[in-house]
Structures are given as structure tokens and as C-alpha cells.
Amino acid sequence: MKTDTISKDTIQSLIRTALDMRGRAYTPYSRYTVGAALLAKSGTVYTGCNVENAAFTPSTCAERTAFSKAVSEGDREFTAIAIVGGHEGAASEGFAPPCGVCRQVMAEFCEADSFIIILAKSEDEYRVFTLGELLPSAFGLDASPEKKPV
Ligand code: THU
């Protein structure tokens, strides 16, 4: 667990916000609600919930909702995200790890070794990972020559 770059108070505050956001999820199809709270380096917290659609494909995960809100407001540098999820109307009984697409979106804007992903069931029950732990060897068109496509 890498927690040295973020305080326990900040972690718990992000979890509380993510838990609140679960209540805003629009999930008539899966009945699985997810809430996210994304802390930008600017100090602003961007929130997100999953928003489903009858055509399924247009559905958006909570994490990507938060990233889209942040980037569209001009924030592109981030410290941490807290994620909670569970069946509609029930407590977050298990952890809700981000899907692969959301991990890839995180990799677009966040550093593998320092961006922190908090998976929580409650303020007191959570696990902390770096992005690199959850998405090793991420694809990216960055400056690293071995990562550049030919
Ligand atoms: N979901 C998220 O919001 N985040 C994830 O990382 C995984 C899945 C949502 C999508 C869908 O609305 C519901 O959870 C069930 O898959």
C-alpha cells in the first residue's frame, strides 16, 4: 500500500464523497451503482457516478464521468481517486475495482507510480493501490522510445 503521498483524512473524505455519489447513479439496467471522487493536484475534487443507457454502449462508468468533468474544466493532473460500488439500495459490500477502460483513461492523465486508487467499502475499510499496480505496462504514446509504435 502506498499512502505516503496522501493523508488518511484525505482518503476518508474522498471515500465519503464517493459514497454520496453512488446515490446519484443512473442504473436501471444493471442495478449496480458506482461512485467516484477524483482529487486533482489543484485541490479540486471532481465527482462521478455511472450513467447507463438503454442502448448499453453509451453507458459511462463513474470514474470516466469524473475524469471527463475534470478535463473539461481544465484540470489534467491528478493525485487520487476513490471508488465505491455495490448493488442498488445496498451497502458497498465488496470492492469495486475500475474496469479496464477506466484504467486506460487514468493512464492517459496519471503517473503509474504515484496516482493512487482507493477501493473502499466504507470510510474504515479500504485498500490503496497505485495505477501501475492495477495497470502494469500500460499502452501510451509517451516519450519512451520502446513504447512508441513504429
Ligand atoms: N461500472 C463503473 O461505473 N465503473 C467501473 O469501473 C466498472 C463498472 C458500472 C458500469 C455499469 O453501469 C455498472 O457498473 C455495471 O457494470
Side-chain angles (χ1 to χ4, degrees):
M1 289 217 315
K2 184 186 167 72
T3 50
D4 52 317
T5 54
I6 186 167
S7 71
K8 187 173 178 186
D9 277 357
T10 302
I11 289 173
Q12 292 186 316
S13 163
L14 288 172
I15 292 170
R16 278 195 299 277
T17 303
L19 287 166
D20 281 349
M21 287 309 293
R22 266 193 73 200
R24 299 214 185 149
Y26 174 73
T27 55
Y29 305 104
S30 74
R31 301 284 178 199
Y32 187 88
T33 59
V34 183
L38 173 64
L39 175 62
K41 287 186 183 173
S42 64
T44 303
V45 175
Y46 295 92
T47 56
C49 62
N50 49 336
V51 182
E52 297 184 347
N53 188 279
F56 284 23
T57 313
S59 300
T60 311
C61 292
E63 300 90 319
R64 276 179 288 140
T65 303
F67 270 90
S68 295
K69 287 166 75 174
V71 174
S72 61
E73 292 298 320
D75 254 322
R76 292 183 181 176
E77 296 185 357
F78 305 102
T79 304
I81 189 168
I83 306 162
V84 299
H87 295 287
E88 209 173 273
S92 300
E93 283 148 3
F95 294 112
C99 76
V101 173
C102 288
R103 294 180 201 205
Q104 183 67 29
V105 168
M106 292 175 197
E108 185 70 27
F109 296 102
C110 308
E111 294 104 30
D113 57 352
S114 62
F115 182 67
I116 287 174
I117 299 169
I118 303 149
L119 305 184
K121 294 182 192 175
S122 69
E123 251 184 78
D124 297 311
E125 203 176 351
Y126 60 85
R127 292 186 189 158
V128 178
F129 302 89
T130 62
L131 174 59
E133 286 171 329
L134 296 192
L135 188 65
S137 307
F139 177 80
L141 300 181
D142 64 15
S144 153
E146 68 272 16
K147 276 183 140 189
K148 278 196 171 157
V150 281

